[in-house]
Amino acid sequence: LIGEIGGSLEQDAAAYIKEGFTKPVCALVVGATAPPGKRMGHAGAIITGEDARAEAKIQALRDAGATIIPTPADIGATARDVLGRM
């Protein structure tokens, strides 16, 4: 799962995962270094509240059991590690 700052779809995904999704989920949320309140080029990236921040999204996904991918460069290694545990 790849998410970004703005909106709350990642929290919706976390709720879905928590309800009993049985497959492993790896999640990357981009935009963690964006300044609060800064317009980042499109409407979805306007941070409109605490839930729209990367930290809140990451925590919701982590609490739902997703493995958090720290950076885009770690996508392959994280997926390999998670699949290796199956």
Side-chain angles (χ1 to χ4, degrees), residues 48-71:
T48 55
E50 288 302 311
D51 284 349
R53 298 179 56 82
E55 297 83 13
K57 295 169 179 287
I58 290 168
Q59 191 59 53
L61 289 161
R62 182 177 284 125
D63 291 347
T67 299
I68 303 303
I69 302 168
T71 71

Side-chain angles (χ1 to χ4, degrees), residues 1-81:
L1 182 147
I2 298 176
E4 64 178 346
I5 57 173
S8 61
L9 291 176
E10 293 78 8
Q11 284 89 338
D12 294 345
Y16 181 78
I17 294 165
K18 223 175 196 178
E19 288 175 7
F21 191 74
T22 59
K23 296 182 185 206
V25 176
C26 297
L28 169 67
V29 177
V30 298
T33 60
K38 176 84 171 160
R39 290 181 184 267
M40 299 303 289
H42 61 88
I46 298 171
I47 303 173
T48 55
E50 288 302 311
D51 284 349
R53 298 179 56 82
E55 297 83 13
K57 295 169 179 287
I58 290 168
Q59 191 59 53
L61 289 161
R62 182 177 284 125
D63 291 347
T67 299
I68 303 303
I69 302 168
T71 71
D74 297 311
I75 292 171
T78 303
R80 180 195 62 222
D81 293 346

